[in-house]
Amino acid sequence: GMVERMDYLENRLSELTSIQNEHAGFLTEHGSVIDTIKDFHKKITVGVGVRTVYSMTEDEAGSDTDGVSGGESWDKDFNLDSMRLYFNAKVTDNITLEINTDVHERDVTDDNINVLDAFVEYKWNDYFHVRVGRHLPASDRYNLDGPYYQNSFFFPLVSQRWPAVALGRVDGASVWGQYAGGKFKWQGSVSEGTEVDGGANDDTDHLQVSGRLTYNFWEAESGYYNSSTYYGKKDVLAIGLVGWHQSDAIGTAANPSDFNGWNVDFLLEKNLGWGTVDIEAAYFDYGGHGVGDNNVTNRSIGSAWTAGFSYLYPEKIGWGAPQFVSRYQQFDPTDNVTATAFTESKLELGLHYIIQDHNAKLALIYSNTHLGGSANEDVGAVTLGMQFQH
């Protein structure tokens, strides 16, 4: 029996040696391909994001029997709010390339894929970065969050009223840096700004400049972008200050005036053990006081403010944790443009279900939007939203 056992072990050892030699030959023959795939994975990252909503909105434009869901009934809609593809490439240790695309029904009437970001960034060290191309400029926290990293499900109506190509992006260049991993950050941008035929700035002589300073009193927020909540994973007490300027950007071609705007934003998030509390607020001054403006399609002249509060339950119930979210926001146009711009306000009350932070969440929201002008009406809506990204 011992002899038979030894023979069996020798045969198995021979078989294993043959298999090992075969694998060694495969690695020798295809090792370069495998190394190339590993190198590609290190240098290229790909992501995707989807936001979709089902909404019921009050429609007071008809009657209950006109077949158009008017009167006291509700319009019902499914919408693809956003679909994004993210591409990041590491060209060298100091040069990166970022290209992001978007299908966005709020601004785009078709389903074509549109360029969202396309820029190259040069990094010398933590204190000095330069990015050139289409990107988010130095601006308010909401704009640097984007819709996918808000606390409230909807992007605020009071933000992105600066001149932009689309969705808060500009064509230009930005410099930025950070100290102590993001305790203090500085950002500055130069971009195209407003250029409207027949308007105050109907040529390319005057570029738009903006700057942002952010200070974090508690934990740091690293990187160029921000977030409105970290779902209790860090305690944040941050304040940001933004300034905008463009010469001869508002008024009329015969009587141009400089545009000077600014905003201040505030975020406090604290994990208290029995839940995470988040308080966010901002004030915007979009300039133009005392100046009429025929470039109303490019900028809303006036002032705005917003404030929000949320509470995140500390434990998961099923797949995710419930979160109560509320926000109020209001925009008031300057007196000189009230013929074409009106007071707007919006109240939102939401119950979110946080499955995996910003990567997977559901939201049920009631909102009431006040629209000024000749309509001067309040419109209620109930929305079920879903957001997933990877």
Side-chain angles (χ1 to χ4, degrees):
M2 181 64 69
V3 174
E4 292 177 356
R5 186 64 177 169
M6 291 297 295
D7 290 342
Y8 172 79
L9 292 176
E10 288 179 359
N11 291 334
R12 290 296 297 156
L13 180 61
S14 178
E15 291 174 3
L16 292 173
T17 302
S18 298
I19 293 172
Q20 183 180 16
N21 291 335
E22 289 176 2
H23 283 293
F26 177 86
L27 292 174
T28 301
E29 182 178 356
H30 301 284
S32 60
V33 176
I34 295 173
D35 291 339
T36 300
I37 294 173
K38 289 181 178 179
D39 189 57
F40 178 85
H41 179 71
K42 291 179 181 179
K43 291 185 176 181
I44 305 291
T45 59
V46 179
V48 63
V50 173
R51 287 166 54 92
T52 184
V53 299
Y54 172 73
S55 59
M56 297 186 297
T57 308
E58 281 185 311
D59 184 354
E60 301 180 4
S63 66
D64 288 335
T65 60
D66 66 358
V68 193
S69 185
E72 298 176 355
S73 61
W74 297 67
D75 290 334
K76 302 173 181 66
D77 298 288
F78 281 101
N79 284 304
L80 174 64
D81 185 66
S82 172
M83 187 281 289
R84 294 184 175 181
L85 297 175
Y86 311 109
F87 302 92
N88 289 271
K90 184 178 181 181
V91 181
T92 70
D93 289 340
N94 301 96
I95 301 175
T96 56
L97 178 66
E98 183 170 328
I99 298 176
N100 302 316
T101 66
D102 185 72
V103 174
H104 192 75
E105 285 199 347
R106 282 174 289 182
D107 291 339
V108 180
T109 57
D110 53 46
D111 287 332
N112 293 333
I113 295 179
N114 301 274
V115 175
L116 186 66
D117 302 285
F119 65 87
V120 60
E121 178 162 313
Y122 305 84
K123 175 185 176 181
W124 275 262
N125 49 48
D126 245 14
Y127 311 114
F128 190 70
H129 304 240
V130 177
R131 58 176 55 185
V132 181
R134 181 168 298 178
H135 64 288
L136 287 170
S139 50
D140 58 276
R141 175 177 285 271
Y142 301 100
N143 200 33
L144 293 172
D145 291 344
Y148 284 82
Y149 292 89
Q150 301 288 319
N151 196 13
S152 297
F153 188 80
F154 295 113
F155 195 87
L157 62 87
V158 296
S159 182
Q160 286 189 356
R161 292 174 180 262
W162 323 101
V165 175
L167 303 180
R169 271 67 180 177
V170 298
D171 290 337
S174 295
V175 295
W176 72 279
Q178 60 184 13
Y179 171 75
K183 291 283 287 186
F184 178 58
K185 293 195 293 187
W186 52 92
Q187 294 157 288
S189 303
V190 179
S191 60
E192 291 288 341
T194 298
E195 296 171 12
V196 178
D197 291 340
N201 185 17
D202 60 356
D203 56 39
T204 59
D205 291 345
H206 306 293
L207 294 174
Q208 175 181 250
V209 295
S210 66
R212 175 179 177 85
L213 300 175
T214 308
Y215 187 78
N216 283 274
F217 294 87
W218 294 346
E219 295 188 58
E221 297 177 281
S222 62
Y224 188 85
Y225 302 110
N226 294 316
S227 177
S228 285
T229 178
Y230 297 91
Y231 296 112
K233 290 181 170 57
K234 67 167 62 178
D235 293 334
V236 176
L237 177 58
I239 188 167
L241 181 63
V242 179
W244 290 74
H245 172 79
Q246 186 178 3
S247 299
D248 295 343
I250 57 176
T252 64
N255 187 25
S257 181
D258 294 349
F259 170 73
N260 295 291
W262 63 276
N263 105 275
V264 59
D265 49 64
F266 167 85
L267 174 65
L268 183 153
E269 179 166 285
K270 179 70 175 177
N271 188 332
L272 300 170
W274 45 266
T276 297
V277 172
D278 185 289
I279 300 173
E280 190 173 19
Y283 177 81
F284 301 81
D285 189 315
Y286 290 105
H289 305 292
V291 178
D293 185 23
N294 63 354
N295 295 344
V296 293
T297 58
N298 287 272
R299 178 184 292 112
S300 297
I301 303 299
S303 60
W305 65 277
T306 180
F309 170 83
S310 72
Y311 166 76
L312 175 67
Y313 190 69
E315 298 179 3
K316 286 189 174 184
I317 301 177
W319 290 352
Q323 181 193 36
F324 168 75
V325 181
S326 64
R327 182 172 66 184
Y328 180 82
Q329 49 188 319
Q330 180 170 313
F331 169 77
D332 296 302
T334 184
D335 292 340
N336 299 80
V337 295
T338 52
T340 54
F342 311 105
T343 297
E344 301 174 64
S345 63
K346 187 174 185 179
L347 172 67
E348 299 163 77
L349 301 173
L351 179 62
H352 295 190
Y353 190 60
I354 310 302
I355 301 171
Q356 192 182 82
D357 297 348
H358 296 290
N359 290 335
K361 66 179 180 180
L362 309 177
L364 179 64
I365 311 106
Y366 168 77
S367 63
N368 185 279
T369 304
H370 175 75
L371 304 173
S374 57
N376 195 31
E377 62 182 0
D378 294 313
V379 178
V382 177
T383 302
L384 175 62
M386 296 179 286
Q387 173 175 304
F388 300 96
Q389 62 177 346
H390 178 72

